[in-house]
């Protein structure tokens, strides 16, 4: 895997490295898109990545317009363009975080069309927050020097 976010995901799920080369390349490209969008919005990369992972696993088979990299819909239509989906997700998460005051409430709002901490979004939010918590240290290790850096193996 290339790119720090793709390598961080592969550290959590080693099967990703064993995918066919075309699927690995697509996963790496989508991970880079998500990482770039999060950085552009000044949002926690691991949190945006966790939300997008929950939506499509950053590489699930695509079916026309029924899939959006980060689950983004406008007027009930999924955004099929990966870069636009990631950018809108990162922007929405940044705005929800500022308005809702916490990541769990913000991710719940993302899932429930803007309702901070909505009950129907709490399970989704808990899963995203937990995944972000697992992904963040791996991502930091990859950004700062990979597995050979002290405390980054395993």
């Amino acid at each position: 895997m290339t790119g720090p976010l793709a390598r961080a995901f592969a550290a959590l799920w080693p099967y990703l490295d064993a995918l066919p080369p075309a699927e690995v390349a697509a996963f790496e490209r989508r991970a880079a898109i998500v990482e770039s969008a999060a950085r552009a919005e000044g949002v926690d990369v691991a949190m945006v990545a966790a939300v997008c992972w929950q939506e499509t696993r950053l590489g699930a088979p695509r079916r026309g317009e029924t899939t959006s990299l980060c689950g983004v819909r406008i007027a009930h239509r999924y955004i099929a363009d990966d870069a636009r989906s990631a950018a809108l997700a990162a922007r929405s998460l940044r705005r929800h975080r500022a308005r809702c005051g916490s990541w769990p409430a913000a991710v719940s709002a993302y899932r429930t069309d803007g309702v901070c901490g909505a009950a129907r979004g709490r399970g989704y939010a808990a899963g995203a927050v937990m995944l972000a918590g697992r992904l963040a240290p791996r991502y930091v290790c990859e950004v700062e020097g990979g597995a050979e850096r002290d405390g980054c193996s395993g």
Side-chain angles (χ1 to χ4, degrees):
M1 287 283 167
T2 62
L5 184 57
R7 287 192 309 270
F9 272 114
L12 294 178
W13 291 285
Y15 79 87
L16 292 169
D17 281 322
L19 294 172
E23 289 183 35
V24 169
F27 183 84
E28 290 169 337
R29 182 182 60 76
R30 289 181 181 130
I33 287 170
V34 169
E35 182 178 15
S36 177
R39 287 177 176 255
E41 287 294 330
V43 180
D44 179 29
V45 171
M47 188 59 67
V48 176
V51 167
C52 296
W53 175 266
Q54 286 196 161
E55 292 293 337
T56 65
R57 299 294 187 252
L58 273 75
R62 309 305 283 268
R63 292 186 283 282
E65 291 188 60
T66 62
T67 305
S68 172
L69 178 62
C70 299
V72 176
R73 290 176 297 154
I74 295 178
H76 304 288
R77 296 197 66 172
Y78 283 104
I79 303 301
D81 178 82
D82 289 342
R84 186 169 179 222
S85 177
L88 290 169
R91 184 176 313 131
S92 294
L93 286 165
R94 177 181 52 81
R95 289 176 178 169
H96 290 320
R97 175 70 170 88
R99 185 172 53 81
C100 299
S102 71
W103 278 122
V107 174
S108 179
Y110 180 86
R111 183 66 172 176
T112 60
D113 298 323
V115 181
C116 295
R120 65 188 172 99
R122 286 186 195 142
Y124 177 90
V129 170
M130 183 174 67
L131 175 54
R134 291 181 61 212
L135 188 58
R138 294 300 324 164
Y139 176 72
V140 169
C141 284
E142 294 300 337
V143 168
E144 294 181 357
E148 57 279 346
R149 186 173 158 263
D150 192 33
C152 289
S153 60

